[in-house]
Amino acid sequence: MKLNSRFLIGVLLFLVLLLVAQWQMPRRFQWTVSFRHDSKQPFGCYVMDSLMKISIPQGYGVTDKSLYQLDRALPDSAIGVLIVTESFTPSDTDVSALLRLLRRGSHVMIVAGRTSENVDDSLGFGTYGGCSFNLSLVRRMVASGYSRDSLHWVGRRQTYPKRIYRVFPQIVTGELAVYTKKKYHTLYNKWSQSWITDSTMEWKEEPAAVSQKIGDGQLTVCCDPLLFTNYTVLDQDNAHLTFRLMNEMDSLPILRTEAYLEKTIQSQSSPLSFVMRQPPLRWAVWLTAGGLLLFFLCTSRRRQRVIPVMSPPQNRSMEFIELIGTLYHQWHDNKDLVRKKYLFFAETLRRQLMIDVDDEASDRQSVDILSVHTGLRREVIRQRLKTLRQTVSSDDDVDDDDMRRIIDEMVEIEQLIGL
């Protein structure tokens, strides 16, 4: 028993030490792009959001409301709206809400790797190329001493001087497309390849973040969303570039919306929401609900169950007696019929008069009692009991006349007694 206890304690101690060691081991990072405010992984936004909350005096917050919801919630206010996502594909309703926010003095900054066509057509700017990150490729580039890409800040204000920021190429894979003919300002450029002929290409600086005045507000579009993640903010002094971009909205309270992140869009696109957005399906749902309600109202009244017509139970005793009589008649077993009648006769006397006709020792008392109740002479009763015993105990057959006589004698005694 002691050995088993020591062994059990040793196993438990080993498991505890193993758990402590596992807890103390450095955790592996998840290099998936999330842009979530509560994610401390490299491509979450926990560090960036924390710095903005303590750095922006007008206030900074994170919400999951869409542009349409923000427009409805703040109908008369000008705010700064920051959208950081891998793919910005809003609905036409959200694009209309975005334009209303801009016209009344809000500043909207869209930082996305890709934008949809309705955004490109409505705003005059679009992004493409996405935000892909290959960790193994970055490690090989670092090991081989590969130089980083250059981001050239030019700005539209005199607040910040021109400066070059160095980042890994995998961080800035997006490209900005300009479709508008209106005046806009470039915030920073980066080198990109462009084809001069079918076989010749050259490197030149192209805008990667631009700003344009729309109505009373300001629109900023950037094609490098990974600049706003924990990894880039903590990489060398690239946080300065992020702060320069955010300083474009320095006079407004800022809300960063997560409504256009991939997981948020999936959670908002429930099957019911899809059904309710389609007019035919929506009418089908309402008609079904109305039909069910009408059915419940019509069937809520208690219904009387149909009472079946049941015939009264029939007395089958005579049929049973006739059946048993027929069987005895066919078999012609007079001896068995006398024996059964005698058993029934003896049991009746025992139950009603407390007489045991099978006990010959008490014949005198039994004869006296039967004589009193029947009015028959003692000699007649004694002779009948003697004949009954002999017939029942004998192995000889009983003819029909003797059977009738013996049964009639027992029936006569029962009738005289009143049974």
Side-chain angles (χ1 to χ4, degrees):
M1 183 61 115
K2 292 183 179 180
L3 180 61
N4 294 336
S5 301
R6 293 176 182 176
F7 176 75
L8 182 60
I9 293 173
V11 171
L12 292 176
L13 289 176
F14 174 75
L15 292 175
V16 170
L17 292 176
L18 185 62
L19 290 174
V20 172
Q22 186 73 19
W23 182 266
Q24 296 297 329
M25 289 178 62
R27 300 181 181 179
R28 299 186 61 180
F29 290 115
Q30 300 293 329
W31 293 89
T32 55
V33 179
S34 67
F35 300 114
R36 301 291 303 180
H37 69 280
D38 55 353
S39 175
K40 298 182 181 180
Q41 299 299 327
F43 292 140
C45 291
Y46 178 81
V47 176
M48 194 271 292
D49 289 334
S50 300
L51 291 175
M52 295 303 167
K53 286 180 181 179
I54 61 177
S55 303
I56 297 179
Q58 285 77 17
Y60 178 90
V62 180
T63 181
D64 58 355
K65 293 182 178 180
S66 64
L67 292 170
Y68 174 76
Q69 292 172 324
L70 290 175
D71 178 47
R72 293 289 300 272
L74 304 168
D76 301 322
S77 303
I79 59 172
V81 180
L82 174 62
I83 303 170
V84 182
T85 181
E86 183 176 0
S87 178
F88 182 53
T89 57
S91 63
D92 294 338
T93 303
D94 287 339
V95 173
S96 301
L98 187 153
L99 294 175
R100 288 196 296 271
L101 287 170
L102 291 171
R103 292 191 187 101
R104 66 168 176 259
S106 297
H107 192 139
V108 179
M109 181 180 293
I110 301 173
V111 188
R114 292 183 299 273
T115 54
S116 57
E117 291 185 3
N118 58 348
V119 175
D120 302 347
D121 298 338
S122 301
L123 302 182
F125 299 97
T127 62
Y128 59 95
C131 48
S132 59
F133 184 83
N134 191 321
L135 180 61
S136 60
L137 180 59
V138 171
R139 287 176 176 173
R140 288 198 297 271
M141 289 191 300
V142 172
S144 61
Y146 186 83
S147 60
R148 299 184 176 209
D149 278 358
S150 299
L151 301 181
H152 186 197
W153 176 268
V154 291
R156 66 181 180 87
R157 301 181 180 182
Q158 301 300 323
T159 306
Y160 297 112
K162 295 182 178 181
R163 182 176 174 180
I164 294 177
Y165 293 92
R166 312 286 290 179
V167 297
F168 288 112
Q170 292 291 317
I171 298 295
V172 287
T173 58
E175 296 188 25
L176 180 68
V178 179
Y179 306 106
T180 183
K181 295 182 179 179
K182 298 180 181 180
K183 182 180 179 181
Y184 64 89
H185 300 279
T186 300
L187 300 181
Y188 74 85
N189 297 318
K190 64 181 178 181
W191 291 94
S192 64
Q193 291 178 326
S194 61
W195 292 93
I196 300 177
T197 63
D198 293 341
S199 59
T200 307
M201 53 187 275
E202 68 175 357
W203 287 88
K204 65 177 182 179
E205 279 193 341
E206 295 287 350
V210 296
S211 180
Q212 184 184 54
K213 187 174 180 63
I214 298 179
D216 293 334
Q218 195 79 19
L219 171 69
T220 301
V221 180
C222 177
C223 62
D224 300 317
L226 294 183
L227 292 176
F228 288 75
T229 58
N230 302 330
Y231 181 85
T232 308
V233 170
L234 298 176
D235 181 28
Q236 296 184 359
D237 58 352
N238 292 324
H240 296 169
L241 176 60
T242 305
F243 273 96
R244 287 190 178 192
L245 290 172
M246 294 298 298
N247 194 51
E248 295 294 312
M249 297 185 288
D250 57 355
S251 60
L252 296 172
I254 301 174
L255 283 175
R256 184 173 79 86
T257 175
E258 294 183 339
Y260 303 98
L261 300 182
E262 183 177 358
K263 291 184 178 179
T264 306
I265 293 175
Q266 291 178 357
S267 63
Q268 291 178 350
S269 300
S270 63
L272 183 59
S273 63
F274 173 79
V275 169
M276 298 306 290
R277 285 198 299 268
Q278 310 299 322
L281 297 178
R282 183 169 62 248
W283 273 106
V285 170
W286 288 120
L287 287 175
T288 303
L292 288 175
L293 180 60
L294 184 62
F295 172 77
F296 291 149
L297 291 176
C298 294
T299 58
S300 60
R301 181 174 58 86
R302 181 181 177 183
R303 293 183 176 181
Q304 177 65 45
R305 187 176 60 181
V306 177
I307 301 176
V309 178
M310 301 181 65
S311 58
Q314 298 180 3
N315 187 358
R316 303 289 184 178
S317 301
M318 293 302 298
E319 295 181 7
F320 178 72
I321 294 172
E322 291 176 359
L323 177 61
I324 298 300
T326 303
L327 291 175
Y328 275 101
H329 178 72
Q330 292 176 353
W331 286 92
H332 206 72
D333 191 358
N334 296 335
K335 180 67 174 294
D336 185 64
L337 185 58
V338 171
R339 184 180 292 111
K340 284 186 170 54
K341 177 58 181 177
Y342 172 76
L343 293 175
F344 179 76
F345 173 73
E347 179 63 27
T348 303
L349 295 179
R350 185 182 300 111
R351 185 176 62 253
Q352 297 295 331
L353 302 179
M354 306 300 290
I355 297 173
D356 187 4
V357 294
D358 292 327
D359 186 10
E360 296 181 5
S362 59
D363 271 358
R364 183 175 181 179
Q365 182 180 0
S366 300
V367 170
D368 292 340
I369 295 175
L370 287 174
S371 178
V372 172
H373 283 83
T374 60
L376 297 175
R377 291 182 294 112
R378 292 181 176 84
E379 290 78 7
V380 174
I381 295 176
R382 185 179 296 108
Q383 184 61 36
R384 290 184 179 182
L385 292 179
K386 181 179 179 181
T387 304
L388 280 175
R389 293 183 186 131
Q390 289 176 353
T391 304
V392 172
S393 60
S394 174
D395 294 333
D396 298 334
D397 293 333
V398 180
D399 58 17
D400 294 342
D401 294 334
D402 291 338
M403 178 194 68
R404 292 191 189 95
R405 179 179 56 80
I406 295 172
I407 292 177
D408 289 341
E409 290 177 355
M410 288 187 287
V411 172
E412 182 185 6
I413 293 175
E414 291 176 346
Q415 291 177 351
L416 291 174
I417 296 175
L419 301 179

